[in-house]
Amino acid sequence: MPQGRTWLWWAVAFIVAGWLLWMTLRPNQTVAADLAPLTESAGKQGIPTPFLIDFAGNIAVFVPLGAALALALRGNPLARRLLLAILGGAGLSMIIELIQTSIPSRVAAVDDWLLNTLRVFLGAVVACVVVWRNQRDQRLETGD
């Protein structure tokens, strides 16, 4: 990955983090109303709303967050990228859960934090594997 694209991955990570904060720190009723067009059509297909929002929605956000953080941490060894990306995502999820304790319509839960951290881990692992394979392929091409 060219050095000039590192800023792009940081931008993706910050956009995803901002969106997460915006979605998770508002009252449940407001979020449900915003997501109604998606959840209603999915409900007609037999997909339960809690599954769509809590499970699939968090996967769709925390996995890319982990990948973007791992890619943004260019210049670090892969193991360090992985660790820092996981810590960053786990930290953001912990902040969200802690703030949610003060919002009456939200529920903070340790299992949410654990699952979100796992999702960040999965995204970071995928990104690190892609980087590792690219580095390996470049070494093979140059004979190093």
Side-chain angles (χ1 to χ4, degrees):
M1 170 178 40
Q3 183 66 30
R5 292 200 186 144
T6 302
W7 69 269
L8 177 64
W9 293 114
W10 280 115
V12 169
F14 280 106
I15 289 168
V16 170
W19 186 85
L20 268 167
L21 291 167
W22 179 69
M23 287 300 286
T24 59
L25 299 179
R26 298 182 303 144
N28 274 342
Q29 303 84 345
T30 304
V31 174
D34 289 347
L35 295 175
L38 177 63
T39 58
E40 288 172 3
S41 61
K44 292 176 186 173
Q45 303 299 317
I47 302 170
T49 299
F51 171 81
L52 186 64
I53 294 173
D54 295 336
F55 186 75
N58 282 336
I59 288 174
V61 179
F62 280 97
V63 170
L65 176 64
L69 287 171
L71 293 170
L73 290 161
R74 178 184 171 84
N76 288 291
L78 285 176
R80 185 174 170 94
R81 278 185 188 205
L82 182 62
L83 178 63
L84 291 174
I86 294 165
L87 290 174
L92 177 63
S93 184
M94 182 180 289
I95 289 167
I96 289 168
E97 295 302 321
L98 289 172
I99 293 172
Q100 283 182 344
T101 62
S102 66
I103 302 171
S105 70
R106 301 302 290 206
V107 176
V110 173
D111 62 332
D112 283 347
W113 176 77
L114 288 171
L115 287 171
N116 293 339
T117 300
L118 175 63
R119 293 167 181 134
V120 168
F121 169 78
L122 293 173
V125 165
V126 168
C128 286
V129 167
V130 169
V131 168
W132 174 79
R133 288 184 65 151
N134 286 340
Q135 289 174 346
R136 182 197 65 189
D137 292 349
Q138 287 176 356
R139 283 191 307 270
L140 290 174
E141 288 175 7
T142 60
D144 290 340

